[in-house]
């Protein structure tokens, strides 16, 4: 039994060193792939705002931008605004002619489908990168170029359902990376805060190492 445990330890150590070696020698390539993933992730989440802008739907972003731009022109500080006064998107759309309502919802739903598709591709991309190079922590990896190459990607991993088969596989991979020290504490807090249902704030989340270590062994 001791011999088997020692062999497993050696294999884990060898794999870990291999990931560090590959990461250190392919940082630019890893960074470029991560930037593609991050850009597509942000683009699909900005899509609903673009649809609202096209149909002149007032939302938090359009109103806050409008207030900010108006105040900049006048050279004064923005006054507090009660965003709860903004009618819901559903109420605003209901005032459109029927055909425009249909067009709006068609475009909006297309954006939701696109998000699901892009997220599925990004999940696979992130898994492959982490499995081969180790988690590309903004803080815990030795980035040679901290200005042009170093990149933070933790938020992308909070766009995955960890109750699915693939999600559970990605979770175990992340836990292994955390316990070998490649993921910074704050990054892991944000990640596990999402996995655990997003209760409270990410920075208040407390990592129960014993619980997650047991989960890793399951």
């Amino acid at each position: 039994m001791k011999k088997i445990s020692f062999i497993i330890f050696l294999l884990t150590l060898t794999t870990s060193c291999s990931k560090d070696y590959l990461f250190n020698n392919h940082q630019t390539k890893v960074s470029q792939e991560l930037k593609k993933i991050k850009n597509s992730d942000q683009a699909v989440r900005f899509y609903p705002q673009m649809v609202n802008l096209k149909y002149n739907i007032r939302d938090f972003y359009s109103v806050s931008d409008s207030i900010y731009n108006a105040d900049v022109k006048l050279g004064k500080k923005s006054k507090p605004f009660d965003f709860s006064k903004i009618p819901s998107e559903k109420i605003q759309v209901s005032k459109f002619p029927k055909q425009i309502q249909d067009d709006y919802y068609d475009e909006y739903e297309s954006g939701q489908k696109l998000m699901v598709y892009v997220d599925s591709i990004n999940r696979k991309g992130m898994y492959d990168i982490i499995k081969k190079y180790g988690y590309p922590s903004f803080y815990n990896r030795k980035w040679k170029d901290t200005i042009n190459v170093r990149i933070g990607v933790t938020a992308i991993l909070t766009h995955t359902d960890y109750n699915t088969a693939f999600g559970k596989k990605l979770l175990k991979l992340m836990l292994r990376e955390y316990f070998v020290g490649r993921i910074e504490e704050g990054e892991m807090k944000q990640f596990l805060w999402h996995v655990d249902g997003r209760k409270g704030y990410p920075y208040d989340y407390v990592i129960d190492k014993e619980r997650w270590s047991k989960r890793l062994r399951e």
Side-chain angles (χ1 to χ4, degrees), residues 106-121:
D106 282 346
E107 291 188 41
Y108 193 90
E109 289 172 11
S110 294
Q112 298 302 305
K113 291 177 181 177
L114 178 63
M115 185 182 298
V116 171
Y117 175 71
V118 170
D119 283 351
S120 67
I121 294 175

Side-chain angles (χ1 to χ4, degrees), residues 22-129:
L22 289 172
F23 178 79
N24 290 335
N25 286 277
H26 299 90
Q27 287 189 13
T28 300
K29 177 184 176 182
V30 172
S31 178
Q32 289 173 344
E33 290 301 312
L34 291 173
K35 285 177 181 178
K36 290 178 184 177
I37 291 173
K38 189 170 185 177
N39 288 339
S40 63
D41 177 85
Q42 293 178 341
V44 293
R45 281 165 174 77
F46 188 65
Y47 183 88
Q49 297 173 41
M50 296 300 295
V51 174
N52 284 346
L53 185 64
K54 176 180 177 180
Y55 288 89
N56 292 316
I57 299 293
R58 300 174 72 225
D59 57 20
F60 170 82
Y61 301 100
S62 62
V63 173
S64 58
D65 285 347
S66 178
I67 293 173
Y68 174 78
N69 291 332
D71 289 341
V72 167
K73 287 182 180 180
L74 295 174
K76 62 179 183 180
K77 293 183 178 180
S78 299
K79 294 181 180 179
F81 181 83
D82 185 2
F83 288 96
S84 66
K85 293 181 179 179
I86 303 174
S88 68
E89 294 170 7
K90 186 175 181 179
I91 290 176
Q92 293 182 64
V93 175
S94 69
K95 296 178 181 179
F96 295 156
K98 180 64 169 58
Q99 184 57 55
I100 296 180
Q101 289 184 42
D102 291 342
D103 291 343
Y104 172 84
Y105 284 118
D106 282 346
E107 291 188 41
Y108 193 90
E109 289 172 11
S110 294
Q112 298 302 305
K113 291 177 181 177
L114 178 63
M115 185 182 298
V116 171
Y117 175 71
V118 170
D119 283 351
S120 67
I121 294 175
N122 287 346
R123 276 194 294 272
K124 180 64 167 54
M126 286 298 299
Y127 180 86
D128 291 344
I129 287 173

Side-chain angles (χ1 to χ4, degrees), residues 197-214:
R198 295 183 171 232
K199 299 172 184 177
Y201 297 97
Y203 48 79
D204 290 333
Y205 184 87
V206 177
I207 299 176
D208 185 341
K209 294 186 179 180
E210 184 176 344
R211 171 198 169 196
W212 292 111
S213 179
K214 182 180 179 181

